[in-house]
């Protein structure tokens, strides 16, 4: 790209952006920044990117910072705009690949905050297969307010649930405003074990970020050191010819799944890990989550279904002691290579195996919150291609009830807030899948409204869309085939009896094959919501949720 007389025009362009003559003999290290003012998750990443650039330069490289987009799930949730969320994962991956490929960068650091840009960064790393390190932007600190005389720690889900409490009359206008104005105090990603913190933990377990990168506050000296060290680590990887696909192996993905389960992580991890594995050309399926989940317990008492935010996990030592515990128990593959240039076992060898005495954020292996995985892959006549549930056991492990069918999230949300959903109902939200939405909107609004109205243990919700990491309750998403493709969820009518069994991992409707066939014979595919632009392109190219909703599989 830069060597020889014929590349003089290229060098001339780079003199103008700050290169000096000696820089042309150095490795060019891209710093992919997802900075923007769109969301608190990413508002500080320009500062982190500059620190990673310093690390790369200090190690003998020449850093080049470039930007890509981000969107905010938290702001767009429950609106038509949320259809762009999953789509942005593909746009971000494509954009990083485009810049790194076009500019001939030798390696790169990618820094992500809000949850879609994290798997996007890893997808780009796997595609390009040049030495690379991921940096997590870090978790937000909790907000705080006094509501009804009680001091409460708050986060983004507190606001969503406050909407339901306001609709039921439990919160006044003033109390709702107090929650919304105090819950998000500054920089960083949403504070529970929601999708951002889940994916950061998965990527660290995968070996693609430095130890404890996933468990640092966004505003901290530790996070700044993490960024600097990541820049230097890329040069170390180059010297030892270690590339992403040397790290992102089948065993490494098994490690990522194990850590996600132990932490009680988001259902979105299923979707994103499948997409990342596809980019790395690693065989991974939804059934692998079931097999690994049989032997891995849930140990972390973290929100949304638990008590604590990730900032509290940071205080007791982060993810490294947990990974050491899992390694010592034979639940992790210690021989996997990582971006330190050492194996996972070598990274963890001198790390603490115990958390501080008296902490109850991470349970011991002999006293888990749940003895096997909370991520349940369900099959049945309602989801012949599979579905994903997050069942911790606190919601119960089975549910049977009559269907209340809605053809969009907004229709369901209105009925929930208006008080039209009753104990025992199974809310069905369809035509929100990867193609039908398009974009597979997250149902945080409806699930939080259910919780806010006090229906969390008496109502279930199923969808061909997906859930925010902040969703909890008896919920099943990723139902495949989706309604747009003629899946059984598209054939349901009000009153159909639906049974969800999270012990036997089944989801079914009380209709025999003949009845389903008769309905299918009368079914007509709905018209697409979009016929131009990025949403239409995504709908045309995407695979099913059970395949990661990727856009380059069938090209």
């Amino acid at each position: 790209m830069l060597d020889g007389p014929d590349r003089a025009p290229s060098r001339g362009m780079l003199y103008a952006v700050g290169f000096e003559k000696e820089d042309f003999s150095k490795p060019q290290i891209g710093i992919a920044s997802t900075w923007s003012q769109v969301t608190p998750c990413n508002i500080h990443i320009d500062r982190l990117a500059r620190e990673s650039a310093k690390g790369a330069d200090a190690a003998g490289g020449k850093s080049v910072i470039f930007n890509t987009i981000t969107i905010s799930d938290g702001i767009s949730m429950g609106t038509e705009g949320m259809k762009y969320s999953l789509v942005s994962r593909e746009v971000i991956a494509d954009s990083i690949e485009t810049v790194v490929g076009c500019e001939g960068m030798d390696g790169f650091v990618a820094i992500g905050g809000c949850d879609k840009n994290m798997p996007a960064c890893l997808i780009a790393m796997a595609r390009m297969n040049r030495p690379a390190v991921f940096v997590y932007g870090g978790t937000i600190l909790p907000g705080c307010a006094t509501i009804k005389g009680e001091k409460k720690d708050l986060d983004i889900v507190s606001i969503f649930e406050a909407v339901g409490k306001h609709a039921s009359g439990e919160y006044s206008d003033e109390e709702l405003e107090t929650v919304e104005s105090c819950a998000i105090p500054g920089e960083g990603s949403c504070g529970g074990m929601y999708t951002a913190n889940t994916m950061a933990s998965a990527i660290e377990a995968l070996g693609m970020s430095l130890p404890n990168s996933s468990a640092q506050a966004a505003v901290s000296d530790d996070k700044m050191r993490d960024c600097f060290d990541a820049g230097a680590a890329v040069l170390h990887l180059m010297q030892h010819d270690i590339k992403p696909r040397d790290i992102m192996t089948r065993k490494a993905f098994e490690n990522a799944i194990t850590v996600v389960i132990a932490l009680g992580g988001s259902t979105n991890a299923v979707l994103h890990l499948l997409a990342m594995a596809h980019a790395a050309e690693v065989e991974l399926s939804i059934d692998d989550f079931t097999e690994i989940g049989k032997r891995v317990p849930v140990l972390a008492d973290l929100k949304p279904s638990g008590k604590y935010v990730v900032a509290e996990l940071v205080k007791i030592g982060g993810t490294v002691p947990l990974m050491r515990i899992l390694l010592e128990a034979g639940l992790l593959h210690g021989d996997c290579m990582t971006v330190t240039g050492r194996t996972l076992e070598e990274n963890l060898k001198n790390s603490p195996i115990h958390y501080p005495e008296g902490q109850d954020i991470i349970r011991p292996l002999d006293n888990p919150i749940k003895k096997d995985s909370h991520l349940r892959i369900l099959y049945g006549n309602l989801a012949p291609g599979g579905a994903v549930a997050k069942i911790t056991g606190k919601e119960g492990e089975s549910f049977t009830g009559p269907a209340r069918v809605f053809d969009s999230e907004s229709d369901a949300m209105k009925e929930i807030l208006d008080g039209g959903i009753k104990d025992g109902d199974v809310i069905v939200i369809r035509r929100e899948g990867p193609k039908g939405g398009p974009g597979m909107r997250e149902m945080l609004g409806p699930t939080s409204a259910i919780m806010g109205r006090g229906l969390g243990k008496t109502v279930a919700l199923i969808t061909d869309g997906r859930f925010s990491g902040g969703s909890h309750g008896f919920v099943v998403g990723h139902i495949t085939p989706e309604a747009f493709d003629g899946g059984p969820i598209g054939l349901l009518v009000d009153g159909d009896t639906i049974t969800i069994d999270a012990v036997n991992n089944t989801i079914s409707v009380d209709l025999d094959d003949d009845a389903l066939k008769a309905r299918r014979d009368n079914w007509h595919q709905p018209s697409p919501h979009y016929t131009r632009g990025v949403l239409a392109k995504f709908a045309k190219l995407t695979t099913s949720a059970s395949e990661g909703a990727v856009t380059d599989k069938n090209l």
Side-chain angles (χ1 to χ4, degrees):
M1 187 67 71
L2 299 177
D3 296 338
D6 62 320
R7 304 312 303 165
S10 302
R11 295 192 295 273
M13 295 285 283
L14 290 171
Y15 274 118
V17 300
F19 273 59
E20 297 180 359
K21 184 176 181 179
E22 58 268 24
D23 292 330
F24 296 117
S25 62
K26 299 175 182 177
Q28 189 177 165
I29 307 301
I31 311 293
S33 168
T34 59
W35 172 83
S36 81
Q37 291 182 311
V38 166
T39 169
C41 311
N42 293 66
I43 188 66
H44 61 305
I45 286 179
D46 58 336
R47 183 173 73 246
L48 303 188
R50 290 193 295 272
E51 198 67 16
S52 283
K54 291 178 185 176
D57 292 342
K62 175 56 181 173
S63 62
V64 178
I65 298 175
F66 65 94
N67 268 84
T68 182
I69 66 161
T70 193
I71 54 88
S72 171
D73 295 350
I75 296 170
S76 64
M77 194 75 69
T79 73
E80 191 72 4
M82 185 61 191
K83 293 182 177 181
Y84 289 89
S85 172
L86 182 58
V87 177
S88 78
R89 184 189 72 185
E90 305 304 297
V91 174
I92 295 163
D94 290 351
S95 68
I96 295 174
E97 176 191 349
T98 299
V99 175
V100 172
C102 178
E103 301 306 317
M105 292 171 174
D106 299 294
F108 63 103
V109 175
I111 309 172
C114 199
D115 53 11
K116 299 314 162 299
N117 50 59
M118 288 189 269
C121 291
L122 270 291
I123 289 169
M125 289 174 179
R127 288 178 186 170
M128 299 307 294
N129 203 32
R130 301 178 189 186
V133 178
F134 177 76
V135 174
Y136 178 40
T139 189
I140 199 171
L141 299 175
C144 185
T146 300
I147 311 292
K148 297 188 182 300
E150 181 183 355
K151 188 175 181 181
K152 293 179 178 288
D153 283 344
L154 303 171
D155 64 8
I156 180 64
V157 176
S158 306
I159 309 177
F160 279 96
E161 293 185 359
V163 172
K165 293 179 179 181
H166 179 264
S168 70
E170 181 180 346
Y171 277 6
S172 66
D173 291 348
E174 291 76 18
E175 287 166 331
L176 176 60
E177 184 177 353
T178 296
V179 174
E180 73 176 68
S181 62
C182 297
I184 304 171
E187 303 167 358
S189 297
C190 300
M193 189 48 65
Y194 310 145
T195 306
N197 282 315
T198 297
M199 290 313 302
S201 303
I203 291 166
E204 181 182 330
L206 190 68
M208 287 301 296
S209 60
L210 296 173
N212 251 353
S213 179
S214 67
Q216 295 165 340
V219 183
S220 67
D221 291 340
D222 286 343
K223 181 49 63 184
M224 295 299 281
R225 279 192 293 272
D226 182 39
C227 293
F228 185 94
D229 291 345
V234 175
L235 276 296
H236 183 75
L237 292 171
M238 290 182 62
Q239 291 161 9
H240 291 82
D241 194 30
I242 299 171
K243 300 181 179 70
R245 293 195 190 189
D246 299 321
I247 297 169
M248 298 171 69
T249 63
R250 165 72 191 207
K251 283 184 175 181
F253 277 99
E254 291 179 0
N255 285 346
I257 293 170
T258 296
V259 169
V260 166
I261 292 169
L263 288 169
S266 166
T267 53
N268 278 318
V270 179
L271 193 73
H272 295 324
L273 286 170
L274 291 172
M276 290 156 54
H278 167 71
E281 298 187 270
V282 170
E283 290 293 327
L284 194 71
S285 79
I286 55 173
D287 297 327
D288 291 315
F289 289 80
T290 297
E291 290 306 309
I292 294 169
K294 290 175 182 177
R295 61 180 181 267
V296 179
V298 178
L299 300 178
D301 191 13
L302 295 167
K303 289 186 175 185
S305 54
K307 179 179 179 182
Y308 296 100
V309 295
V310 172
E312 297 298 322
L313 176 62
V314 173
K315 290 179 183 177
I316 64 167
T319 50
V320 166
L322 172 65
M323 291 173 66
R324 175 77 185 275
I325 291 166
L326 295 171
L327 179 68
E328 294 289 325
L331 295 173
L332 291 177
H333 302 290
D335 58 344
C336 291
M337 180 54 63
T338 74
V339 292
T340 64
R342 300 184 296 272
T343 66
L344 180 69
E345 184 172 13
E346 289 169 336
N347 287 344
L348 296 175
K349 183 169 57 177
N350 297 318
S351 66
I353 193 170
H354 298 294
Y355 284 106
E357 191 74 27
Q359 67 82 29
D360 59 352
I361 300 169
I362 301 295
R363 296 271 195 93
L365 283 167
D366 61 0
N367 182 29
I369 290 170
K370 192 172 186 291
K371 64 181 178 58
D372 57 3
S373 179
H374 63 301
L375 296 176
R376 316 301 288 189
I377 307 301
L378 311 181
Y379 289 97
N381 70 349
L382 193 46
V388 181
K390 182 166 70 172
I391 307 293
T392 65
K394 296 178 181 180
E395 313 84 355
E397 294 185 313
S398 65
F399 197 103
T400 298
R404 293 293 309 280
V405 181
F406 302 93
D407 284 336
S408 72
E409 177 190 5
S410 54
D411 289 348
M413 187 68 171
K414 183 177 186 303
E415 190 73 357
I416 296 166
L417 293 178
D418 288 348
I421 301 299
K422 307 301 181 186
D423 289 348
D425 285 346
V426 179
I427 301 167
V428 178
I429 304 177
R430 64 190 181 191
R431 299 186 187 174
E432 292 285 4
K435 298 177 185 177
M440 222 179 164
R441 283 195 286 188
E442 294 178 345
M443 303 296 152
L444 181 56
T447 59
S448 298
I450 289 166
M451 287 293 175
R453 291 196 70 95
L455 298 169
K457 294 184 177 180
T458 60
V459 166
L461 188 153
I462 69 172
T463 180
D464 54 5
R466 61 197 173 96
F467 296 107
S468 163
S471 290
H472 57 124
F474 214 104
V475 297
V476 182
H478 306 206
I479 289 179
T480 305
E482 61 176 287
F484 186 82
D485 281 340
I489 190 173
L491 309 178
L492 298 176
V493 299
D494 281 352
D496 285 340
T497 300
I498 293 171
T499 297
I500 306 161
D501 184 339
V503 176
N504 295 306
N505 295 333
T506 60
I507 180 169
S508 60
V509 57
D510 188 17
L511 296 170
D512 61 25
D513 291 345
D514 289 341
L516 283 170
K517 182 180 183 304
R519 291 189 187 183
R520 187 171 288 109
D521 288 344
N522 292 316
W523 175 83
H524 300 283
Q525 187 173 60
S527 298
H529 288 124
Y530 291 86
T531 58
R532 302 284 298 273
V534 69
L535 293 179
K537 285 191 282 188
F538 180 86
K540 185 75 171 178
L541 293 170
T542 186
T543 61
S544 73
S546 291
E547 298 173 292
V550 299
T551 56
D552 61 350
K553 183 171 185 176
N554 300 318
L555 298 178

